[in-house]
Amino acid sequence: MHPIERLRYVARAEGAGPSLLGRESAGALATFSDDPAGLVTACRRLVERHLTAGTVWWLSARVLASGDPSAEAWRAAEELEDDPTAQVLAAALPDEATIVVVGWPEQAGDALRRRADVEALVVDSGGDGDAFARRLRTAEVDASEVPDSGVAAAAAEADLVILEAHALGPDGFLAAAGSHAAAAVAHHAGIPVWVVAGVGRVLPGRLWEALLKQLDADEDEPWDRPIEVVPLDLADTAYGPLGPSPAADAPKRADCPIAPELLRPIT
């Protein structure tokens, strides 16, 4: 099986989030080290197929700007593998808190599984919520499923809302559908909203703008998409590999180059 074709199966796997997609993409791109033209095509195909995964943009920008794409791909994969964000977040969770999450968050999920003292209210999003709540219960975490229609009620009753960014830019972040409503209700009620953005998920402004432009070109109606844009000013705190920071400061963590090849429209 071609390395890039294998990513289709990874993307369909339960709980396959941006970090896993980034690691698998690194292995695929490393095979193009002696084919510069093929590398550009491969990066653009990956971004097209995994448009909302910030890690894929971050990885692609790094390998396209590198003099040794294969080595850079494996370095990026190692950084994703060693990302301590889940451990940092787990240590920061308030004791015995009731926490709202949306869908199946990859890194926040790892954090919750480490903390059996908390209660998770899992808002269903595209069918992921029920499966994720069951996974939490196997780890002895008290987890309850919340239907899409209950997102506002759940956020209003929680001690904390944690949203996971698939990608984060200067003024917003992409998260599972329902996240915007959860953040808005919690923010209005004075309930803390944390956004989790681990390694590879914070993009520089121009890449973020290119992502949003391509997303807007999608033929799907915004309310039919599994991912939505959440204004960054609805979040209070951002968690990443170095710990917490004010959410407004999170965009400063962008650490990948701006590859011109990724700024052109993908057709």
Side-chain angles (χ1 to χ4, degrees), residues 22 25 51 75 102 114 120 123 129 160 162 164 171 179 207 232 238:
S25 297
L51 181 64
R75 276 194 293 269
V102 181
R114 299 166 187 263
V123 177
L160 172 65
I162 298 179
E164 183 149 326
D171 57 1
S179 296
L207 289 185
L232 189 57

Side-chain angles (χ1 to χ4, degrees), residues 4 35 49 86 98 120 136 157 161 177 201 216 218 222 248 253 255:
I4 290 182
D35 182 6
R49 290 181 179 177
T98 298
L136 287 179
E157 292 295 322
V161 171
R201 303 194 189 201
D216 287 341
D218 193 322
R253 285 181 35 225
D255 62 354

Side-chain angles (χ1 to χ4, degrees), residues 83-99:
D83 184 2
T85 297
Q87 297 95 306
V88 170
L89 179 63
L93 296 178
D95 294 341
E96 300 181 351
T98 298
I99 300 171

Side-chain angles (χ1 to χ4, degrees), residues 68-137:
D68 189 343
S70 181
E72 187 66 17
W74 290 123
R75 276 194 293 269
E78 185 175 354
E79 290 176 31
L80 290 167
E81 180 69 32
D82 295 339
D83 184 2
T85 297
Q87 297 95 306
V88 170
L89 179 63
L93 296 178
D95 294 341
E96 300 181 351
T98 298
I99 300 171
V100 166
V101 294
V102 181
W104 190 319
E106 184 182 30
Q107 295 183 319
D110 287 345
L112 288 171
R113 285 194 289 270
R114 299 166 187 263
R115 290 290 301 272
D117 64 306
V118 302
E119 177 185 2
L121 301 179
V122 183
V123 177
D124 192 31
S125 181
D128 285 338
D130 287 351
F132 179 58
R134 290 195 299 271
R135 179 68 63 87
L136 287 179
R137 288 194 289 269

Side-chain angles (χ1 to χ4, degrees), residues 2-11 16-33 38-39 42-51 53-61 63-64 69-70 72-78 80:
H2 193 281
I4 290 182
E5 296 304 319
R6 181 175 181 275
L7 292 174
R8 292 184 179 181
Y9 297 93
V10 174
S19 295
L20 176 58
L21 285 172
R23 295 197 302 271
E24 293 291 335
S25 297
L29 294 182
T31 65
F32 290 90
S33 59
L39 178 65
C43 287
R44 287 172 61 82
R45 286 178 62 192
L46 281 171
V47 166
E48 179 183 18
R49 290 181 179 177
H50 306 289
L51 181 64
T55 54
V56 174
W57 287 80
W58 171 82
L59 167 70
S60 297
V63 299
L64 287 172
S70 181
E72 187 66 17
W74 290 123
R75 276 194 293 269
E78 185 175 354
L80 290 167

Side-chain angles (χ1 to χ4, degrees), residues 236-248:
D236 304 293
T237 305
Y239 274 84
L242 299 180
S245 68

Side-chain angles (χ1 to χ4, degrees), residues 199-212:
V199 169
R201 303 194 189 201
V202 180
L203 300 178
R206 292 184 67 190
L207 289 185
W208 172 250
E209 291 168 6
L211 188 163
L212 293 183

